[in-house]
Amino acid sequence: MKGAVIFDLDGVIVSTDDCHYRAWQQLADEEGIYFDAEINQRLRGVSRMDSLEIILERADRNYTNEEKKVLADRKNAYYRELIQALTPDNILPGVGPILAGLKEHGIKIAVGSSSKNTPLILDRIGLKDYFDAVADGNDLSKSKPDPEVFLLAAERLGVPPEHCVVVEDADAGVEAALAAGMRVLGVGAAAANLRATLRADSLDGLTWADLSKLPTLE
Ligand code: B16
Ligand code: MG
């Protein structure tokens, strides 16, 4: 049977990771909490509230649940301001040709993202109606590395998990894909992850045929 490819959004289709980083940095600076690039790496693919918990590890006081909600909303407002500037030009190199090639060869494509801002981002980059299915942070009760997001995407595609390949930039996402019983191509920050089935620095230079070499898609 024809398989499917499920793409993570942030760090795979578009580089919103820098916008997340800047928004969290602004919040941490305002709160007087230490934050740096290394801590930021731990936030890749992790939900907004779980990301906040990681940032608050360096806070010198405890925050109530109500305060945490206010902080998360503030960060999201900073982030949404930044992503308003996204356009189709921000789609990462190599993504367009791979998506088109997969479609042309009858392989279904989906987005599997932790982000509740997925609909806004897909709209800004002109890919709102392009995918056969979308599963995102608005649908989820558990964050990556839980497989929920990818299992839901596969269900919405009507393709069994063993016929799905995931493309991910986060270690948490690689684990989520493996836990879903899927093969996974690690790109960007996950290109060094030896748990990934295949690894590449980016999608630039790869073709749909490179992905289709994975037996799941045949
Ligand atoms: P939001 P992905 C993830 O997107 C980001 O990598 C992660 O940094 C972010 O905290 C998470 O989405 C939630 O995003 O605050 O917009 O709901 O990599 O799973 O596409
Ligand atoms: Mg990601």
Side-chain angles (χ1 to χ4, degrees):
M1 86 173 280
K2 288 271 189 191
V5 182
I6 306 171
F7 292 83
D8 173 58
L9 183 62
D10 167 47
V12 170
I13 292 177
V14 63
S15 251
T16 36
D17 40 357
D18 189 53
C19 300
H20 280 296
Y21 183 24
R22 285 162 63 192
W24 282 124
Q25 186 76 64
Q26 183 174 344
L27 183 82
D29 288 350
E30 287 166 359
E31 289 298 307
I33 300 169
Y34 180 78
F35 182 63
D36 64 15
E38 201 179 320
I39 300 171
N40 185 60
Q41 282 301 325
R42 294 172 57 203
L43 311 184
R44 268 181 199 280
V46 174
S47 73
R48 197 181 308 160
M49 289 312 286
D50 289 352
S51 298
L52 178 63
E53 292 294 346
I54 291 171
I55 284 165
L56 293 181
E57 287 171 8
R58 301 296 288 259
D60 52 16
R61 70 171 179 92
N62 290 325
Y63 286 78
T64 65
N65 285 342
E66 291 69 33
E67 285 176 315
K68 287 178 187 174
K69 172 86 176 65
V70 171
L71 290 183
D73 286 349
R74 243 166 73 199
K75 180 269 174 175
N76 195 46
Y78 301 150
Y79 177 66
R80 285 178 73 96
E81 180 80 36
L82 292 169
I83 59 175
Q84 288 305 332
L86 291 176
T87 73
D89 288 342
N90 294 103
I91 296 173
L92 287 168
V95 171
I98 284 191
L99 294 179
L102 290 167
K103 269 197 162 198
E104 202 180 306
H105 291 85
I107 296 167
K108 288 187 175 165
I109 53 173
V111 169
S113 168
S114 303
S115 176
K116 293 185 172 172
N117 291 299
T118 296
L120 171 64
I121 295 167
L122 290 178
D123 189 42
R124 299 297 312 163
I125 62 175
L127 294 180
K128 188 162 71 90
D129 298 316
Y130 196 77
F131 292 90
D132 299 300
V134 174
D136 67 41
N138 299 294
D139 306 308
L140 306 174
S141 58
K142 289 171 235 134
S143 198
K144 298 171 187 175
D146 189 279
E148 185 182 15
V149 62
F150 297 131
L151 291 174
L152 182 63
E155 188 186 313
R156 288 183 173 168
L157 288 170
V159 176
E162 62 271 24
H163 289 281
C164 294
V165 172
V166 169
V167 185
E168 256 292 349
D169 73 311
D171 291 340
V174 170
E175 291 308 317
L178 294 173
M182 301 175 183
R183 310 257 161 100
V184 52
L185 166 64
V187 296
N193 187 327
L194 297 178
R195 302 260 301 148
T197 322
L198 274 184
R199 288 167 290 280
D201 286 336
S202 84
L203 289 176
D204 199 15
L206 292 185
T207 67
W208 77 274
D210 293 313
L211 282 180
S212 70
K213 278 181 205 142
L214 288 167
T216 42
L217 291 190
E218 284 164 0

